[in-house]
Every structure is written in C-alpha cells, then in structure tokens.
Amino acid sequence: MKKLILTLAVVVAAGIGAWFVWRPAPPAPDVAFTTIEGKTFSMHDLRGKVVLVKFWATSCVTCVKQMPGAIDTYNEYAPKGYETVAVAMSYDPPNYVLNFAETRKLPFPVALDVKGELARSFGDVKLTPTAFLIDKQGRIIKRYLGEYDPAEFHAAIEKALAAG
C-alpha cells in the first residue's frame, strides 16, 4: 500500500510539474487604452505584434531609471513588430505624466489609467514597475516586476518576434 501511495504521489507531482512547464500562456485582457493625446486602441488592435505593457509612475525611481532602456528597446525592435504601451498608474497626476513623456520624448504610446481599471484587468497591479510581455497571439508570455536582466528581456522579445 505504501508503494502504491508513493507511486501515486510521484505521478501527481510529475503531472503538476508538467502543467507548469507546458501550460498555455494566459491571454492578455482585451482592454482599451487611452493615450495622453486622447487616442484609444485596444489589445486586440495590437494582435500580430509583440507587446510590452508596462505599468509605471513618475514617482517610481526604478521606473524612471528604466525609461532610457525602454526607449532604446523600442527603437531597436519596433521596426520588427514590437510595441510598448507605458501605462501610468491611477495615482500619477496626468500633467506629471504628460510632462515626463514630452521632456523624455517617449516614442511609444503612454496611456493614463485614471480609474485603475487597466491595473485591475492585469491582475490588480499595485507595484511599479510591473510589465507584461505579450506574444503576437495576445498571450502573456512573461511578467516582470522591478528590475530585470536586459539581455534576458531582449532574448525573450527576439524569441517572440521569431515565433509565428
């Protein structure tokens, strides 16, 4: 009986492990973004592109530190089908966001999340920076919280861009 229970436990553990390795990536929520210029678009509109949805705030030291890298990454990969959407947190004053985007010449869309609906749709994001890498089919393939390795991040983008 002990051998049967042990065997069953091993099979269940292996099954759970396999599920974590091979489970399908969850779909990104089909939300609508409104940019600081008043333009609207949805996640559905971005299908066919690899997208980084980055939640940030002008008061977040790490977010500000990461923006030059985000600009460089965008400029490098946008011609190949990559998009960045920088979503300002609900507590960030819109005039601060606009000033930051203009003075830093952010080349990608900057969206306001005035009511916090976008953050809630992406799993109730509270900490910044939090970013989601989304594949061409609209599935979340990676979640980043805080600092991340730029080389690993670029490798993930390149892999997603190369996928059909």
Side-chain angles (χ1 to χ4, degrees), residues 30-31 42-47:
D30 191 18
V31 295
S42 70
M43 280 303 307
H44 184 76
D45 297 331
L46 298 172
R47 288 276 168 89

Side-chain angles (χ1 to χ4, degrees), residues 50-52 82 131-135 139-142 144 156-157:
V50 174
V51 180
L52 182 73
Y82 172 78
F132 298 86
L133 188 61
I134 300 163
D135 70 11
R139 298 178 302 226
I140 297 171
I141 53 176
K142 184 82 174 165
Y144 299 92
I157 292 170

Side-chain angles (χ1 to χ4, degrees), residues 146-158:
E147 297 275 357
Y148 52 86
D149 178 69
E152 183 276 328
F153 177 56
H154 285 203
I157 292 170
E158 290 169 10

Side-chain angles (χ1 to χ4, degrees), residues 46-64:
L46 298 172
R47 288 276 168 89
K49 291 186 173 198
V50 174
V51 180
L52 182 73
V53 176
K54 184 179 188 81
F55 289 88
W56 69 290
T58 58
S59 59
C60 165
V61 174
T62 303
C63 301
V64 172

Side-chain angles (χ1 to χ4, degrees), residues 34-38 56-59 63-64 67-68 71 85-88 92-112:
T34 302
T35 69
I36 54 178
E37 294 89 13
W56 69 290
T58 58
S59 59
C63 301
V64 172
M67 276 302 179
I71 293 167
V85 182
V87 180
D92 212 352
N95 58 322
Y96 287 23
V97 176
L98 180 61
N99 180 58
F100 186 96
E102 287 178 347
T103 59
R104 291 353 184 256
K105 297 182 177 25
L106 299 183
F108 39 77
V110 177
L112 298 173

Side-chain angles (χ1 to χ4, degrees), residues 105-147:
K105 297 182 177 25
L106 299 183
F108 39 77
V110 177
L112 298 173
D113 190 14
V114 179
K115 296 180 183 175
E117 293 170 351
L118 296 170
R120 280 191 293 281
S121 294
F122 276 87
D124 205 18
V125 172
K126 299 234 186 277
L127 302 174
T128 57
T130 297
F132 298 86
L133 188 61
I134 300 163
D135 70 11
K136 295 176 185 178
Q137 290 74 40
R139 298 178 302 226
I140 297 171
I141 53 176
K142 184 82 174 165
R143 180 177 185 244
Y144 299 92
L145 179 60
E147 297 275 357

Side-chain angles (χ1 to χ4, degrees), residues 2 38 81 93 151:
K2 286 183 181 179

